[in-house]
Amino acid sequence: MSETTNRAASQEASAGPGVACACDADLCIQTRISQEAIRLTRLGARAGLVSQLTGLEKTVANRLYRQLHGRPSPPGQLPFSDSWYLKQDRRMAQATLVWQLSRRFARAEATPAQRLIDVYETYLWLERKPLLDIMRVAFVPHLVAVQEWQEQTCSQCAIQYLVPRDSVGNTCWGCRLYLRHRCRHCGTP
């Protein structure tokens, strides 16, 4: 092997799993797709989402889910409403965290599947008691993209947070949780 080939292989190996494959060879592309599908399935993604993000046929994604989990992929569609998130302030606070991570990872040159893997794994690492599964994490950027949710600035802490379209509140979910047990005038518990 030449020195140039060794250097390229070394750089690709050190780039890590979150970096998009630089090789356009069919075998490399298929390997990347398979690795992403396996990782998504292990993280709990349904076969439909795996198929949508990787381009694998749904029957292949279903078979992969069955092999890895020992049961068929749960039936049903992806979430289509934000009502589950809106039932608890903690869910919305965590959805805001996921949205901020999604924006941060959107800058990386990665496939949509790898981006979701990175966002979800980072979310699990940051959140002590995660409330969102990978399906709900995948749905958060969609809600922003279709303008069901929009960003707003908190009047208490000045952080950007997500709210439903046409929301009249101006306090983020974290401050709402904090202030719920404090006097609004003096701040004592």
Side-chain angles (χ1 to χ4, degrees):
M1 218 188 266
S2 72
E3 183 179 329
T4 308
T5 307
N6 280 337
R7 188 177 314 132
S10 155
Q11 288 173 344
E12 190 171 318
S14 68
V19 176
C21 184
C23 180
D24 290 332
D26 287 341
L27 182 60
C28 291
I29 291 170
Q30 288 302 317
T31 301
R32 177 188 47 79
I33 289 170
S34 297
Q35 289 174 335
E36 289 173 350
I38 290 167
R39 189 69 192 132
L40 284 167
T41 304
R42 284 192 174 140
L43 290 172
R46 292 181 185 174
L49 181 62
V50 171
S51 176
Q52 177 185 349
L53 291 174
T54 62
L56 281 179
E57 290 184 27
K58 193 163 182 186
T59 55
V60 174
N62 275 319
R63 191 174 26 201
L64 177 64
Y65 192 97
R66 185 181 294 275
Q67 287 176 344
L68 293 176
H69 292 287
R71 62 183 186 281
S73 176
Q77 299 177 348
L78 296 174
F80 58 89
S81 165
D82 64 354
S83 60
W84 181 86
Y85 301 92
L86 296 173
K87 287 182 182 177
Q88 291 183 7
D89 288 349
R90 285 191 61 223
R91 290 176 183 171
M92 283 303 296
Q94 290 186 21
T96 296
L97 170 63
V98 165
W99 169 69
Q100 291 171 347
L101 289 171
S102 296
R103 286 184 21 184
R104 170 91 31 123
F105 284 113
R107 297 182 199 134
E109 290 188 24
T111 64
Q114 186 60 52
R115 203 170 300 126
L116 176 60
I117 292 167
D118 293 343
V119 167
Y120 188 62
E121 288 180 336
T122 304
Y123 162 72
L124 292 176
W125 185 77
L126 291 172
E127 189 59 49
R128 267 189 315 193
K129 296 180 181 177
L131 299 174
L132 312 180
D133 62 11
I134 194 165
M135 302 300 289
R136 301 225 184 254
V137 165
F139 193 55
V140 169
H142 173 74
L143 287 167
V144 176
V146 298
Q147 298 178 350
E148 284 294 318
W149 287 354
Q150 62 189 15
E151 71 178 340
Q152 193 165 313
T153 303
C154 177
S155 63
Q156 302 287 321
C157 68
I159 194 170
Q160 296 286 320
Y161 69 105
L162 291 177
V163 294
R165 182 184 43 190
D166 303 326
S167 178
V168 292
N170 62 356
T171 304
C172 75
W173 308 105
C175 289
R176 283 179 57 163
L177 288 167
Y178 176 79
L179 294 172
R180 186 171 291 147
H181 305 286
R182 305 231 181 259
C183 173
R184 289 198 179 259
H185 301 292
C186 67
T188 58

